[in-house]
Amino acid sequence: MKTRIVCMLLASALSAAAGAETVVVVSAKSAVATLSKEQVADLFVGKTQQLGGASAALVDQAELKEDFYTKATGRNAAQIKATWAKLLFTGKGNPPKEVSGNAEVKKFVAGNPAAIGYIDKAAVDGSVKVVLSLP
């Protein structure tokens, strides 16, 4: 009986995580209020490096990376890695810093008005501002 309950709870938690909404965030101090999906995609594939008039500081979250890039750019993580490798090799850009977890992304973004990253919607607090939702 206990095993059955544990399995049901685990299945419930996994389906809740799968349905979680990812949001793109900037510092609460940033002048940027909203961004389109295309603007976010352009930043995270290196087509543009400016955010609110400053050089953008991008941050990836290891746990949400695949889901984020699929939703925001239509590309998978391997395609993104290849894109950034080419940009790095040609001197046209540096890939996003990669951190682990919502708290690390918020810490990075909150401390830099030119930073942008993504987290679970449930993790949003006063230190960051949502500029795009990716359901």
Side-chain angles (χ1 to χ4, degrees), residues 68-93:
F68 167 75
Y69 280 103
T70 300
K71 288 178 179 178
T73 70
R75 299 179 190 182
N76 64 36
Q79 292 169 313
I80 295 300
K81 185 175 181 179
T83 298
W84 280 109
K86 181 179 176 182
L87 291 170
L88 186 61
F89 181 74
T90 59
K92 294 181 180 176

Side-chain angles (χ1 to χ4, degrees), residues 1-132:
M1 184 69 169
K2 284 183 182 180
T3 305
R4 178 185 252 176
I5 292 171
V6 170
C7 287
M8 289 188 320
L9 289 172
L10 182 60
S12 175
L14 288 174
S15 39
E21 186 173 354
T22 301
V23 293
V24 180
V25 294
V26 296
S27 170
K29 300 173 187 170
S30 174
V32 176
T34 62
L35 292 172
S36 70
K37 186 175 171 182
E38 292 75 25
Q39 289 172 309
V40 169
D42 286 351
L43 282 164
F44 279 90
V45 298
K47 287 186 180 178
T48 186
Q49 285 117 17
Q50 295 293 307
L51 178 66
S55 183
L58 308 173
V59 62
D60 275 333
Q61 183 181 157
E63 295 82 359
L64 296 178
K65 190 173 185 175
E66 185 74 39
D67 184 58
F68 167 75
Y69 280 103
T70 300
K71 288 178 179 178
T73 70
R75 299 179 190 182
N76 64 36
Q79 292 169 313
I80 295 300
K81 185 175 181 179
T83 298
W84 280 109
K86 181 179 176 182
L87 291 170
L88 186 61
F89 181 74
T90 59
K92 294 181 180 176
N94 291 310
K97 175 182 178 167
E98 187 165 314
V99 300
S100 182
N102 295 315
E104 287 296 313
V105 173
K106 288 191 298 184
K107 180 179 176 184
F108 181 85
V109 170
N112 183 347
I116 185 169
Y118 48 90
I119 60 175
D120 288 321
K121 183 178 183 177
V124 173
D125 63 21
S127 68
V128 295
K129 179 175 20 174
V130 175
V131 294
L132 178 69

